[in-house]
Amino acid sequence: MVKICLYIIFIIGLQNVCLSQNMQSADSFSNVRITTLRQNLQRAKNDSDRIIALQNMAFFFERLNADSSLTYYSVALDLARQKSYAWGEARLSAGLSGLMEHQGKYAEAFELLFKSLKIAETSNSAYDIARANRRISGIYFELQNYRKAIDYLLKALPIDKASGLKDKVAIDHYALANAYEKLNQLDSAAYHIDFALKQKNLLPSLMQYVYEILGHIQQKKGNYSEAALSYRKGMDEALLNNDLIATSQLCNDFSVMYNDRNQKDSATFYALKGFNAAKEISFKKGIIINGNMLAELYDSTQPSLALKYYKVAADTKDSLFGVTTIQVIQNLVSTEEAKQRELDDAKQAYQNKIKWYGLLTGVTVLLIIAFILYRNNRQKQIANELLRKQKEEIQTTLNELKITQTQLIQKEKMASLGELTAGIAHEIQNPLNFVNNYSEVSAELVDELDEEAAAGNTQEVKAIANDLRQNLQKITQHGQRASSIVKGMLEHSRTTSGERQSTDLNRLADEYLRLAYQGLRRSGDPAKDPDFQCELITDFDPNLGEVEGVAPDIGRVLLNLYNNTFYAVRQKQVLTDQAYTPTVWVSTQRLDQAVEIRVRDNGIGIPEAIREKIFQPFFTTKPTGEGTGLGLSLAYDIVTKGHGGTMEVESEEGEGTTFVVKFKNK
């Protein structure tokens, strides 16, 4: 740790020396930037922050002073390795490779990058994997293997997109544009450089290179003025960032362009400027391209100078692309590619194994599914057979229930018919008694008439004849009464087609009330009570008018309601010890949208627990043999389903019950 601290103190001191050597050409922006970087290094609180600060210092000096940049990278790498920071070693190795690349040490750069890539892949660091691929692409670019450069860039681009690193995505596009331009695929190059220009705010330290590529594309398309403008913008950015590498390259671009236009002085000026900038930072590529340009320019005027620059360029190129160097690079690349092939083969073998296991798993799952389906199908067949038998049993039971229900309904109808017949008989009996009595009296009067006539008693004959006339009138009157009753009952009991007709609801309610009452009081039936007396109170709305309905069905509804009310008041009369007068109220009323019939009694009432069940089929509170439980159910169906009306019950136990029936207005 003491060694690391001494390194840092040395670096800070070295920085002041570097500033004295290089700040003469730096502007105020660079001064501020260097001051900020130095403060960040001094304020670093832990080793991680210290490594990042050293990396930033090394990257900044990469284009200004190669020795200073190398020192910063070396100290940072030592610290990362000492602390076993894999991420730090991966990033610093990739960063140091850039410095090696600018110095033409491509073998060292490749070695550093392959090591960085391996560390990044081991730690699964997407950022460092993309960075290593991007830097490897850069070296292949310098070796003029542009296809390989594009391949590695296309590995980095999707990783950067997935990571959401917009600045790195912009760098990828800029580098792709550079490679496609060298391959003369100008449309692709233009697409990627346009993307980089739209993201210029993310590339503040690289815009000089972006403008340089744009100038190359424009120059190849013959747009020389636009190319010159782009080169000028690139030069401005290079000066702003104190980037001597970009300055060297752009000076060569200007020199080539002026030489093509036969402006030798301007071409020589820019070539010299680019050569000196490259020499200052040991930028071998800049030395080669600008040295060759100077050799060409001086060839006809100053051969000695031309030879000098040619030899410098040739020596630099030999050190950069010599047989030994190229052999080392080829061996390194071959070794790495062999490793990559082994990894790919192992990966493919692993994938094949996974596929095989997957296939076995799939077959196993299919067999299990097939077994489950077979078992489920078998169980389903058994269940279906059981359900079929149960269905047959249920259907048989249902048929029996339907037969029983039909029989019970018929019994209920016959019971209603019996009630109706008893009422009719009782109603007709009274006028028949009068007819019989007056007939007997009239027969006696005829005998007296004969005697008085024989005696010649005229006055007495006239008196007897007058009595006979009155008796005949009484017989006629009561005979017509009986005839009217029979006619009315026939109208209500005859079989109809079920079609609705205009019906006088007031008359129907009154007639069936009397018939039900008289039927209850008939003699000769132990279930009836001839001595039963009940007060009947009616309140029929004279403006009720007629309603559309099936008269016999409505009569059956009324008869069932009346029978229930009479049963309720009889039960209370039997059970109570107090003075009690059975009373039944029947009223009709015209409402806005309907006509209403209310049948109320002061009987025993309906308990709340069974109030909701009284309209259910076969539900009855009467003793066995006295009721089927279908009367109110049939009445409810006739009103609601047959006539579209409503039937409700209001009751208070011990106080009485009210049935409310409503039919729609005619």
Side-chain angles (χ1 to χ4, degrees), residues 123-136:
S123 59
N124 197 28
S125 173
Y127 175 88
D128 294 309
I129 291 172
R131 186 181 187 186
N133 280 297
R134 193 182 307 112
R135 289 295 182 90
I136 292 171

Side-chain angles (χ1 to χ4, degrees), residues 66 183 273 332 438 469 515 602 631 652:
L183 291 172
K273 185 175 180 180
L332 184 63
Y438 281 118
R469 185 181 294 107
L515 290 174
N602 61 346
E652 184 175 352

Side-chain angles (χ1 to χ4, degrees), residues 293-421:
M293 178 56 68
L294 287 170
E296 180 182 345
L297 290 169
Y298 285 128
D299 184 57
S300 59
T301 57
Q302 300 183 53
S304 58
L305 282 177
L307 181 60
K308 170 189 171 183
Y309 286 112
Y310 175 78
K311 287 183 66 176
V312 172
D315 292 341
T316 304
K317 184 175 182 180
D318 186 60
S319 66
L320 193 59
F321 300 110
V323 175
T324 303
T325 303
I326 296 300
Q327 186 63 44
V328 171
I329 293 173
Q330 288 177 345
N331 292 338
L332 184 63
V333 171
S334 298
T335 301
E336 191 61 32
E337 287 179 348
K339 290 180 181 178
Q340 189 62 42
R341 281 195 299 272
E342 290 178 4
L343 289 174
D344 291 341
D345 292 342
K347 184 177 180 181
Q348 186 62 42
Y350 177 75
Q351 290 177 346
N352 291 337
K353 186 180 292 185
I354 293 296
K355 289 179 181 178
W356 174 246
Y357 288 152
L359 180 61
L360 289 178
T361 303
V363 171
T364 304
V365 170
L366 286 174
L367 290 174
I368 294 173
I369 292 173
F371 172 74
I372 293 172
L373 290 175
Y374 171 77
R375 186 186 64 179
N376 291 345
N377 186 56
R378 182 61 182 164
Q379 291 177 346
K380 184 178 179 181
Q381 290 177 351
I382 296 172
N384 287 340
E385 181 63 22
L386 180 61
L387 287 173
R388 186 185 63 79
K389 292 180 179 179
Q390 291 177 346
K391 181 181 178 183
E392 290 177 355
E393 294 174 358
I394 292 171
Q395 188 65 42
T396 302
T397 305
L398 181 61
N399 291 335
E400 293 174 355
L401 285 174
K402 286 182 178 179
I403 294 171
T404 304
Q405 184 180 15
T406 302
Q407 293 173 348
L408 287 173
I409 291 173
Q410 186 63 28
K411 181 180 178 181
E412 181 67 24
K413 288 182 178 180
M414 294 304 294
S416 298
L417 182 60
E419 297 284 348
L420 185 62
T421 303

Side-chain angles (χ1 to χ4, degrees), residues 151-162:
D151 289 342
Y152 277 92
L153 282 172
L154 292 178
K155 291 180 182 179
L157 181 59
I159 299 174
D160 290 330
K161 284 183 177 179

Side-chain angles (χ1 to χ4, degrees), residues 361-522:
T361 303
V363 171
T364 304
V365 170
L366 286 174
L367 290 174
I368 294 173
I369 292 173
F371 172 74
I372 293 172
L373 290 175
Y374 171 77
R375 186 186 64 179
N376 291 345
N377 186 56
R378 182 61 182 164
Q379 291 177 346
K380 184 178 179 181
Q381 290 177 351
I382 296 172
N384 287 340
E385 181 63 22
L386 180 61
L387 287 173
R388 186 185 63 79
K389 292 180 179 179
Q390 291 177 346
K391 181 181 178 183
E392 290 177 355
E393 294 174 358
I394 292 171
Q395 188 65 42
T396 302
T397 305
L398 181 61
N399 291 335
E400 293 174 355
L401 285 174
K402 286 182 178 179
I403 294 171
T404 304
Q405 184 180 15
T406 302
Q407 293 173 348
L408 287 173
I409 291 173
Q410 186 63 28
K411 181 180 178 181
E412 181 67 24
K413 288 182 178 180
M414 294 304 294
S416 298
L417 182 60
E419 297 284 348
L420 185 62
T421 303
I424 293 172
H426 197 280
E427 279 289 299
I428 293 177
Q429 188 64 44
N430 286 333
L432 287 179
N433 287 338
F434 281 110
V435 170
N436 291 333
N437 291 336
Y438 281 118
S439 296
E440 292 175 0
V441 171
S442 295
E444 294 174 358
L445 287 176
V446 169
D447 293 338
E448 291 179 7
L449 179 63
D450 290 340
E451 292 175 359
E452 294 296 333
N457 191 349
T458 306
Q459 292 295 328
E460 192 63 30
V461 169
K462 289 181 178 180
I464 293 172
N466 186 49
D467 289 338
L468 282 172
R469 185 181 294 107
Q470 290 180 0
N471 286 346
L472 290 172
Q473 288 176 350
K474 292 291 184 180
I475 290 171
T476 301
Q477 179 183 350
H478 287 288
Q480 289 176 346
R481 169 64 181 158
S483 177
S484 175
I485 291 171
V486 172
K487 183 179 179 181
M489 293 306 100
L490 289 174
E491 288 178 355
H492 296 317
S493 62
R494 71 165 57 98
T495 302
T496 67
S497 62
E499 294 182 359
R500 296 186 186 185
Q501 298 176 349
S502 296
T503 303
D504 186 344
L505 201 57
N506 284 341
R507 183 170 64 85
L508 205 63
D510 183 54
E511 289 180 355
Y512 274 92
L513 176 64
R514 288 186 288 101
L515 290 174
Y517 180 56
Q518 295 300 337
L520 183 65
R521 298 176 66 247
R522 74 178 185 270

Side-chain angles (χ1 to χ4, degrees), residues 59-66 98-99 101-103 142 174 208-209 212 234-235 238-239 241-253 273-287 289-290:
F59 180 75
F60 181 79
F61 277 102
E62 189 175 306
R63 294 177 176 84
L64 292 177
N65 189 293
L99 181 61
E101 177 189 342
H102 296 322
Q103 293 181 335
E142 294 300 330
Y174 136 74
Q208 54 270 29
Y209 301 102
E212 182 184 19
M235 185 67 78
L239 293 174
N241 292 309
N242 282 323
D243 188 347
L244 296 180
I245 293 174
T247 299
S248 176
Q249 292 182 170
L250 285 162
C251 284
N252 179 257
D253 295 329
K273 185 175 180 180
F275 183 85
N276 292 330
K279 285 281 288 185
E280 185 174 348
I281 58 171
S282 300
F283 178 39
K284 293 184 177 181
K285 179 183 175 182
I287 293 172
I289 58 177
N290 285 289

Side-chain angles (χ1 to χ4, degrees), residues 539-576:
D539 181 15
F540 298 133
D541 187 349
N543 299 319
L544 187 68
E546 295 184 340
V547 296
E548 291 287 341
V550 182
D553 289 346
I554 296 176
R556 188 174 291 111
V557 171
L558 293 170
L559 191 61
N560 274 296
L561 295 180
Y562 294 151
N563 286 339
N564 275 277
T565 58
F566 288 137
Y567 179 83
V569 295
R570 280 183 64 201
Q571 288 295 105
K572 187 171 182 178
Q573 188 179 45
V574 172
L575 296 174
T576 186

